Amino acid sequence: MGSNIDLRKYENPDSIQDAFSRIVSGKSGYKAVIDRKKPTPKCSKCTRGGDEGQKFCPQCGGKMVLPLTNCPGCKKSIDDSEKFCTECGHDLEAARAK
Ligand SMILES: [Zn+2]
Ligand SMILES: [Zn+2]
């Protein structure tokens, strides 16, 4: 029966908290935050972030462009900081400037 006590030692609060946070992050509440975060246009001239639906910059009149979320070449989801697609090598900087 001594092994019972030993087993309890492994159930430390840290591992329980870690498991709990994983459950929480996978919940619908967390997903709703992502869903709400739609890509907002950015001014191609002054790079000022605009609001959804804006076509021209309210500050400088520059054209508002939507940030790329997928590679135009292979449709792989890309990060805003990436200059080239890691999948097909598409020039993402040039695609953003369009
Ligand atoms: Zn602007
Ligand atoms: Zn690509």
Side-chain angles (χ1 to χ4, degrees), residues 70-76 78 84-92:
N70 291 85
C71 171
C74 68
K75 307 297 176 198
K76 176 188 176 284
I78 52 160
F84 293 93
C85 176
T86 54
E87 185 68 28
C88 71
H90 196 98
D91 191 341
L92 302 174

Side-chain angles (χ1 to χ4, degrees), residues 43-48 57-64:
C43 176
S44 58
K45 256 189 181 176
C46 69
T47 68
R48 180 188 176 276
C57 177
Q59 297 299 314
C60 74
K63 200 183 175 203
M64 299 298 260

